[in-house]
Amino acid sequence: MGFEDARIAIVGGGLGGMSFANAALHVGLTNVELYEQAPQFTEVGAGVNITRNANRILDAYGLKDSMLWKSSRNPPCYMEYRQYKTGQYLGQIDEFGQPASRQIHRAHLLDALKERIPDSVLNTGKKLVSLKYTGSEYELSFEDGSTATATVVIGCDGIKSVIRQHLGITDSPIYSGQVVYRGYVQYSDLSPEAAEIFRKTVVFRGHRKHILTLPIGNDESNTARIGVIGFMSESLSDWKSESWMATAPIDELQKHCEGWAGPIQELIQGLRKSSPDGRMLKQALYVRAPIDTWFHVEQSNHSHGIVLCGDSVHSTLPHQGQGTGMAIESGITLATILKSWKAGDDLRPAFQLYQDIRKPRTDKVTKTSYEAGLLASADLPEGFTDTFKPELLKERMKWIMEADVLDDLYRRGAPYFEPKESEGEANPSPVQANL
């Protein structure tokens, strides 16, 4: 009874898929295979900010030391704000508690997530071309001609999810109105004064645009550099690439930032020094609207089903730094339910519990991240206003950072999980105890 012995196929080996694989390993799901379409595990783009809510879970997996080896450490604040023309310090948001946020290159985070997963579980070069139910199991067919089977398929294949399409979800992604320019700058390419400013997370807030910088890595592991993320309002008609991710001349970002403060001008020159061809990554920012149903269970066998996790079902704009964090939270929620379920072998109530726990939170993150982007790229960017000031900004995010996701999971899942009695009282869930 339950699903701890289900044959699970994870489709997608990015941060979302690797997060679920770690969750599965942590709770004790052993019959798991992960399929990634790329020939090797890699992540492109700038750095990523992993916040307290997600770090608590990753630390429980035993990943704290490997993350801190290549992430920032003990940031002086969560975020600092500066006037975009003068560079004047305006204020800051302090950290939300321990563990503090960590700024890390996406590839280094993927490495940390990958290190505990047995190589035998990881399959690369597996681009999914079809998924069908045979009546007794799912058959996954890949572009290289190989096939695999499973009884539970978990779609962790991102905002362009093939699994999502297989479920008949045909909505189109929504353009946010902004593109983002991404690159890195070496601290040695800046003046000491500018370098000191960028040793923390900083926002320079302009007119319908803003630049966010992240202090990626640390000096000890020789990974310290500045992640530059420029959010700029542009018409989609100006987008020339067939892909959402392309490259563009650094001159484009320079033009957006004409007249901005000296540290920003130094930053752009630093981008040039780090780019032999004078180009940087440019990405059109899309998001999908929340959907009503995250899963499908076979009518002929209710213990077989497909479920979505991460960006494939709850993508969000990056303005609160929660895309990866929500995938990490959803991964441990789903894995715990599959492992701990003792209320029969019907996946429908199990998947429904997963959706009921996660959907209100991820829907709110999607909504408030869009709002945060509007606040950060404002019509009136000269300074703080009644709706844009540190104390309000911190209050807007407390519900994200301070939530105890696993406590909520066990409390709501307790009626379905195997009870554990000790001296007449129920013990906390084994997953929660590990935190």
Side-chain angles (χ1 to χ4, degrees):
M1 185 168 62
F3 314 107
E4 60 182 332
D5 296 322
R7 290 184 287 124
I8 298 173
I10 307 168
V11 178
L15 297 179
M18 281 293 185
S19 294
F20 180 82
N22 273 271
L25 178 68
H26 182 70
V27 302
L29 294 172
T30 57
N31 200 348
V32 175
E33 294 282 336
L34 183 148
Y35 302 96
E36 163 57 31
Q37 67 176 352
Q40 59 187 12
F41 293 99
T42 185
E43 281 281 344
V44 298
V48 60
N49 180 33
I50 305 300
T51 53
R52 177 179 183 266
N53 52 308
N55 283 329
R56 292 181 69 243
I57 298 170
L58 296 180
D59 289 359
Y61 297 164
L63 300 179
K64 178 179 179 179
D65 290 343
S66 57
M67 280 189 71
L68 287 175
W69 172 239
K70 290 190 175 180
S71 77
S72 60
R73 304 167 183 171
N74 300 315
C77 63
Y78 179 75
M79 190 170 292
E80 179 179 285
Y81 295 89
R82 287 184 174 263
Q83 215 279 342
Y84 75 109
K85 286 184 177 179
T86 66
Q88 176 188 1
Y89 169 83
L90 296 174
Q92 68 184 45
I93 299 175
D94 292 330
E95 281 286 345
F96 292 83
Q98 293 297 321
S101 60
R102 298 167 191 160
Q103 293 75 42
I104 187 171
H105 191 289
R106 294 178 69 90
H108 293 159
L109 176 58
L110 189 65
D111 287 343
L113 290 169
K114 180 175 176 286
E115 71 177 23
R116 296 177 67 251
I117 308 301
D119 289 342
S120 59
V121 169
L122 304 176
N123 303 275
T124 55
K126 301 298 180 184
K127 182 177 182 180
L128 186 69
V129 293
S130 72
L131 172 64
K132 65 180 181 180
Y133 188 64
T134 67
S136 59
E137 61 189 3
Y138 292 102
E139 183 177 275
L140 298 86
S141 299
F142 304 103
E143 193 174 61
D144 66 358
S146 64
T147 61
T149 60
T151 56
V152 174
V153 177
I154 301 178
C156 298
D157 50 341
I159 191 172
K160 296 183 179 181
S161 171
V162 175
I163 302 299
R164 182 186 178 103
Q165 295 173 20
H166 176 82
L167 294 181
I169 304 169
T170 58
D171 62 321
S172 297
I174 303 164
Y175 178 55
S176 68
Q178 284 194 321
V179 299
V180 60
Y181 294 82
R182 300 181 185 272
Y184 289 101
V185 172
Q186 301 296 325
Y187 283 101
S188 58
D189 287 333
L190 302 180
S191 68
E193 295 78 13
E196 183 61 28
I197 288 174
F198 296 119
R199 288 283 181 180
K200 60 185 85 67
T201 300
V202 183
V203 171
F204 285 76
R205 179 175 179 248
H207 180 64
R208 296 185 181 176
K209 62 187 75 172
H210 67 282
I211 286 185
L212 167 69
T213 66
L214 301 176
I216 303 298
N218 59 74
D219 293 327
E220 183 182 0
S221 60
N222 198 31
T223 54
R225 48 186 162 166
I226 304 159
V228 181
I229 310 170
F231 297 90
M232 305 293 155
S233 298
E234 292 185 10
S235 169
L236 197 57
S237 63
D238 297 333
W239 189 255
K240 306 303 182 186
S241 173
E242 294 182 2
S243 171
W244 296 357
M245 182 79 78
T247 64
I250 296 172
D251 290 345
E252 287 188 14
L253 181 62
Q254 174 83 66
K255 185 175 180 180
H256 276 295
C257 298
E258 287 180 357
W260 284 38
I264 293 296
Q265 303 308 321
E266 282 197 49
L267 206 63
I268 293 172
Q269 293 308 309
L271 287 167
R272 298 186 191 280
K273 293 176 183 178
S274 298
S275 175
D277 63 358
R279 301 179 72 84
M280 64 190 303
L281 286 175
K282 181 180 180 181
Q283 179 184 8
L285 290 179
Y286 284 86
V287 70
R288 290 188 186 272
I291 57 174
D292 292 334
T293 303
W294 291 16
F295 61 88
H296 168 78
V297 174
E298 296 302 327
Q299 289 299 314
S300 60
N301 190 331
H302 293 164
S303 64
H304 296 172
I306 302 170
V307 64
L308 300 173
C309 188
D311 279 353
S312 66
V313 69
H314 51 67
S315 64
T316 180
L317 293 173
H319 301 298
Q320 294 182 120
Q322 291 302 313
T324 301
M326 290 300 105
I328 291 168
E329 290 184 2
S330 291
I332 190 61
T333 302
L334 179 57
T336 302
I337 290 172
L338 291 174
K339 171 64 177 178
S340 303
W341 193 264
K342 301 300 178 184
D345 57 2
D346 188 341
L347 275 171
R348 292 173 298 180
F351 283 168
Q352 189 65 55
L353 176 64
Y354 160 66
Q355 178 179 313
D356 289 347
I357 290 174
R358 295 301 300 151
K359 181 173 165 57
R361 181 165 167 84
T362 58
D363 283 0
K364 187 175 179 180
V365 165
T366 298
K367 177 178 182 292
T368 56
S369 292
Y370 174 76
E371 295 168 350
L374 296 179
L375 287 171
S377 297
D379 289 330
L380 300 172
E382 300 299 328
F384 289 126
T385 66
D386 288 343
T387 58
F388 189 85
K389 51 188 176 182
E391 55 268 33
L392 289 180
L393 296 172
K394 184 168 186 177
E395 190 64 30
R396 279 181 59 89
M397 294 188 70
K398 281 178 65 176
W399 69 275
I400 297 176
M401 307 298 183
E402 296 180 356
D404 191 333
V405 174
L406 295 179
D407 180 70
D408 183 49
L409 163 63
Y410 183 68
R411 179 172 45 80
R412 297 177 64 177
Y416 309 99
F417 300 163
E418 184 176 23
K420 294 183 179 296
E421 301 295 330
S422 175
E423 297 181 0
E425 294 184 2
N427 287 331
S429 78
V431 175
Q432 181 69 17
N434 286 336
L435 288 180

